[in-house]
Amino acid sequence: MTRNGPLALSFHALVMLFMLAPLVVVCLVAFTPENTLSLPTAGFSLRWFSAVFERADFLDAFYNSLKLAALAASLATLIAVPAGLALTRYSFPGQGFVNGLLLSPIIIPHLVLGVALLRLFALLGVNGSFAWLVFAHVVVITPYVLRLVLAAAIGIDRSAEQAAQSLGAGRVTLFCKVTLPMILPGVAGGWLLAFINSFDEVTLSIFVTSPATQTLPVRMYVYATESIDPMMAAVSALVIAVTALTMVALDRVYGLDRVLVGKQ
C-alpha cells in the first residue's frame, strides 16, 4: 500500500492551503495602495510599510518585544539547562513534581496565567514593571527550552564525560568543554523557540504590560480596536517575516522535525 498516494497528497495540500491562505492574504493586503483593507488591484505599494516606520509607538513596541524576547529566552535557558540535566541524570524525591511544575505552563491557558500574574503583581505593587514582565514571559516559555534540553540530554553519550573526568577535568571544564557542546543543538533550538513564543505572546502580555512596556503584539491588538486601515496588515506581515526567519534559523540549528514531533 502506497504511504503517500494521490488522495493523501491532495488532502495534505488542502490542509496546507487552508493554513497558509490567511497569512498570504494578510501579506498581500499589506501592499495595497488603498486606504481600506483590500487586495491590491491597481499595483503594489510600500505605503503602509513606510507608515509603520514613521510611527514611534510601533517602533518602541517592537524594540520592547525584541528586548523582552531575547532577555526572557536567555533567562529561561539558564533555568532549563541545569534543570534538564538534573532531571535526566539524578533520581531525587519529588522529581516528577519538579518536572511537572516546570512543564505545566505549557498546558495552562495563557488567559488564566495572565489573570493570576496580574493579581500577583498587584499584591506586590509591581504592575507595569519591565523586570516583572520578563519574569512572566520566563514562566511561560521555560517549558519550550526544557523540552528540547531534556531530549538532548537523554540522547548524549556519557562515555565522553567519563573519559574527561578520568583525565582530571573539573566540573566546570567538563560542562563547558564536553557536556554543553553535546547538548548545544537542543539549547540553541530551545532558545530560538522560546524567543519566538515570547515575541509573539499577546494573551498574557495584555494583562501585565503598561504603556511604557507595551509589546508589539499588544500594541497591534490595541490599534486594531481603534482603526482598520492596512497598516495593521503591514505590521502583521513584518511579524510573519520575523517569525518565519526565526523558524528557518531553528530548522537549520536543530531541525523542526525534532522540535515538533520529538524525532531524534
Side-chain angles (χ1 to χ4, degrees), residues 27 30 49 52-53 62 199 216 233-244:
C27 291
F49 289 97
V52 172
F53 290 103
F62 172 75
F199 187 87
L216 183 60
V235 178
S236 300
L238 292 173
V239 172
I240 291 171
V242 170
T243 305

Side-chain angles (χ1 to χ4, degrees), residues 3-34:
R3 186 174 182 181
N4 289 310
L7 184 60
L9 291 176
S10 299
F11 174 77
H12 291 309
L14 289 174
V15 171
M16 292 298 298
L17 180 63
F18 177 79
M19 294 177 62
L20 294 177
L23 302 181
V24 173
V25 170
V26 168
C27 291
L28 288 175
V29 171
F31 290 94
T32 184
E34 306 296 333

